[in-house]
Amino acid sequence: MTAPAIDVQELVKRFGGLVALDGVTFAAAQGEVLGIIGVNGAGKTTLMNCICGIYRPDAGAIRLGGQDVTGWAPHDIAHRGVGRTFQVPRVFRRMSLIDNLLVPVLQHKVPDRALIEAAEAMLERMRLIDLRHNFAEELSGGQQKLLEMARMLMPDPQVVMLDEPFAGVHPTLCRFMIEQIEAMTAAHKTVLLISHDLTSIYRLSNRVLALNQGRVIADGGVDAIRGNPDVIEAYLGS
Ligand SMILES: Nc1ncnc2c1ncn2[C@@H]1O[C@H](COP(=O)(O)OP(=O)(O)OP(=O)(O)O)[C@@H](O)[C@H]1O
Ligand SMILES: [Mg+2]
């Protein structure tokens, strides 16, 4: 049996006395979309930050395709094929769109011309090509989210983590982003999708992980999650 694309076991992350992740366990197969839901402060972003190496977990293990990567530095995790976007997009504001896209692939042993062509093709795909020489700071918030997604895709990551891609984004752009996520799974990438937009989560996800106060309160198919009393209580209060 092949190892899951991502396998997280008993992950713990504390900030002083606060337990942000309290023994989180889940796995996702290649090509799967795992939706991650939970109220504000549930631990969703902390989970992503642990997986991508920004935070070192206090306990537990993270495996990618069977390889233990717990405690690895962010650039090593990225090199291992994990990409992510941020809840508030982190673009290089005073760099052009093209240069933003070249940053994660500069070390690739490919001629500059080929990299620039790949960056232009990605901007074309993201409908940002006409702005390729503009500074990233000139983009709208939604366009910055697209740019960040484009930059993440440049090194062709196998595991993609998206933190609130739809937050503050116009419905037309949301639909476009949903199509982009569908294209990622068509390309057999594994997608971890954090969102408060349950309609999009339910539409896109093969499975959903519900977190509350750093714990997994439900992990299952969309239908099971929708009717799960613990999930309903976490969202609506008792
Ligand atoms: N760097 C940090 N230092 C201290 N506490 C932190 C830090 N990062 C997160 N926390 C705390 O950990 C808990 C989980 O935060 P996290 O950002 O993971 O929640 P979230 O589920 O992503 O919430 P939201 O939906 O609001 O984005 C919160 O109580 C938060 O205040
Ligand atoms: Mg968050």
Side-chain angles (χ1 to χ4, degrees):
M1 216 177 77
T2 51
I6 180 160
D7 181 15
V8 170
Q9 291 290 328
E10 293 295 330
L11 208 65
V12 175
K13 179 65 191 172
R14 296 188 199 94
F15 297 107
L18 181 111
V19 187
L21 297 176
D22 191 5
V24 170
T25 295
F26 70 91
Q30 189 186 2
E32 188 172 43
V33 179
L34 180 71
I36 301 176
I37 64 171
V39 295
N40 295 118
K44 306 179 297 295
T45 298
T46 303
L47 176 60
M48 259 185 203
N49 285 338
C50 285
I51 294 170
C52 78
I54 290 180
Y55 293 155
R56 179 181 282 265
D58 293 297
I62 300 160
R63 290 189 194 82
L64 298 171
Q67 182 176 28
D68 192 333
V69 300
T70 319
W72 282 26
H75 60 271
D76 290 325
I77 298 281
H79 206 71
R80 182 63 184 69
V82 178
R84 62 108 28 115
T85 62
F86 290 86
Q87 196 159 352
V88 178
R90 296 188 186 177
V91 295
F92 301 109
R93 298 177 58 81
R94 298 286 291 172
M95 285 168 63
S96 72
L97 272 55
I98 286 276
D99 286 345
N100 263 271
L101 263 56
L102 291 178
V103 169
V105 291
L106 279 178
Q107 286 166 333
H108 285 203
K109 295 192 174 20
V110 177
D112 288 354
R113 187 66 242 159
L115 290 179
I116 290 168
E117 279 170 14
E120 285 178 343
M122 183 61 77
L123 289 175
E124 184 90 51
R125 168 176 164 187
M126 293 293 173
R127 302 179 182 164
L128 293 170
I129 190 70
D130 292 343
L131 299 167
R132 60 188 173 281
H133 298 304
N134 291 57
F135 280 147
E137 67 181 7
E138 295 167 48
L139 299 183
S140 73
Q143 286 172 325
Q144 289 190 18
K145 285 194 171 239
L146 274 183
L147 176 64
E148 194 186 39
M149 190 180 269
R151 187 183 61 195
M152 175 199 71
L153 289 172
M154 280 296 288
D156 196 24
Q158 287 312 295
V159 174
V160 164
M161 304 195 291
L162 308 170
D163 196 352
E164 298 286 357
F166 314 119
V169 171
H170 184 274
T172 309
L173 189 49
C174 272
R175 278 196 292 278
F176 183 66
M177 290 219 176
I178 287 173
E179 286 166 25
Q180 294 309 313
I181 296 168
E182 286 168 343
M184 291 175 206
T185 55
H188 310 293
K189 298 183 193 302
T190 303
V191 179
L192 269 50
L193 172 64
I194 292 177
S195 183
H196 289 292
D197 175 359
L198 294 184
T199 308
S200 300
I201 282 271
Y202 290 155
R203 169 171 166 188
L204 283 163
S205 306
N206 303 97
R207 265 179 44 233
V208 178
L209 189 73
L211 294 181
N212 197 39
Q213 297 182 352
R215 294 199 194 93
V216 177
I217 56 167
D219 177 355
V222 168
D223 290 338
I225 294 290
R226 243 193 256 266
N228 184 301
D230 292 336
V231 175
I232 294 167
E233 182 178 323
Y235 268 85
L236 300 179
S238 51

